[in-house]
């Protein structure tokens, strides 16, 4: 019994050493040298305001078709605009639009709030780049007073 167990252990040790040698040999004869560092093929997350990001975030010049909201009160409209300004999808748009809404929404008329509501239906990166001057806005927004006020707000003049 002891002899059989001893032989079994010997065979297991031989198989283990063969496997270890084969695995080590495969690592040494690899097609590409083994490295602990990541091989760069390009950054998958392009930084905002870079030319690559500007090229990737272009959208078609089609006006969005928002949901109609009949009989919405002014207070409900203002509360919804505050929420939509704060909860966008990108941090840059969240910061820009939430601070703009905090500073300007209480003093806006109903017509201005409706225009701001239509602006919020546009894509986040489009609004951000129009406000920061990286892209020219389309014809439908070229004369917008709200977009001009947002562009002044984005310059952050006079703030600490």
């Amino acid at each position: 019994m002891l002899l059989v167990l001893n032989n079994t252990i010997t065979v297991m040790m031989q198989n283990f050493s063969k496997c270890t040698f084969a695995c080590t040999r495969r690592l040494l004869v690899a097609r590409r040298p083994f490295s602990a560092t990541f091989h760069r093929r390009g950054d998958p997350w392009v930084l905002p305001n870079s030319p690559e990001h500007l090229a990737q975030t272009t959208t078609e010049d089609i006006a969005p078709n928002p949901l109609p909201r009949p009989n919405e009160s002014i207070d409900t409209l203002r509360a919804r605009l505050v929420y939509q300004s704060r909860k966008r999808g990108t941090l840059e748009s969240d910061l820009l639009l939430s601070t703009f809404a905090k500073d300007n929404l209480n003093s806006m008329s109903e017509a201005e709030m409706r225009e701001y509501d239509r602006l919020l239906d546009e894509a986040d990166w489009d609004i951000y780049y129009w406000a920061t001057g990286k892209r020219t806005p389309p014809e439908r927004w070229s004369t917008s007073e709200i977009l001009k006020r947002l562009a002044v707000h984005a310059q952050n003049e006079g703030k600490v």
Side-chain angles (χ1 to χ4, degrees):
M1 174 83 169
L2 188 59
L3 185 61
V4 172
L5 184 61
N6 196 9
N7 286 342
T8 306
I9 292 175
T10 306
V11 170
M12 287 175 58
M13 292 297 288
Q14 288 173 349
N15 288 339
F16 178 74
S17 63
K18 287 179 186 177
C19 178
T20 304
F21 176 74
C23 292
T24 306
R25 187 169 180 271
R26 266 186 257 146
L27 283 176
L28 294 176
V29 185
R31 293 182 190 174
R32 175 170 76 102
F34 180 74
S35 173
T37 60
F38 178 68
H39 181 69
R40 284 191 74 115
R41 285 191 169 83
D43 193 359
W45 294 282
V46 182
L47 293 175
N49 292 322
S50 66
E52 295 86 11
H53 191 262
L54 279 165
Q56 286 180 358
T57 58
T58 56
T59 56
E60 295 179 13
D61 192 18
I62 299 172
N65 191 12
L67 293 172
R69 294 181 175 92
N71 304 323
E72 185 177 40
S73 69
I74 298 296
D75 293 332
T76 306
L77 173 63
R78 185 175 285 118
R80 182 172 57 79
L81 292 177
V82 166
Y83 180 81
Q84 287 179 342
S85 297
R86 292 177 58 210
K87 306 292 183 186
R88 296 302 295 176
T90 60
L91 180 60
E92 293 83 358
S93 296
D94 288 345
L95 292 172
L96 178 65
L97 295 173
S98 65
T99 55
F100 178 77
K102 178 183 172 189
D103 293 345
N104 296 295
L105 209 54
N106 288 332
S107 62
M108 284 185 190
S109 66
E110 182 179 358
E112 290 174 328
M113 283 194 286
R114 299 276 179 212
E115 183 180 355
Y116 183 61
D117 186 19
R118 285 192 308 274
L119 179 67
L120 291 181
D121 289 329
E122 298 286 346
D124 287 349
W125 285 117
D126 287 340
I127 297 171
Y128 177 77
Y129 286 134
W130 297 337
T132 56
K134 298 285 184 180
R135 280 194 200 134
T136 57
E139 193 65 34
R140 65 182 179 273
W141 291 109
S142 62
T143 60
S144 171
E145 285 299 318
I146 295 295
L147 190 56
K148 289 177 185 173
R149 287 169 58 183
L150 184 61
V152 169
H153 178 77
Q155 292 173 357
N156 207 17
E157 294 293 325
K159 296 189 179 182
V160 178

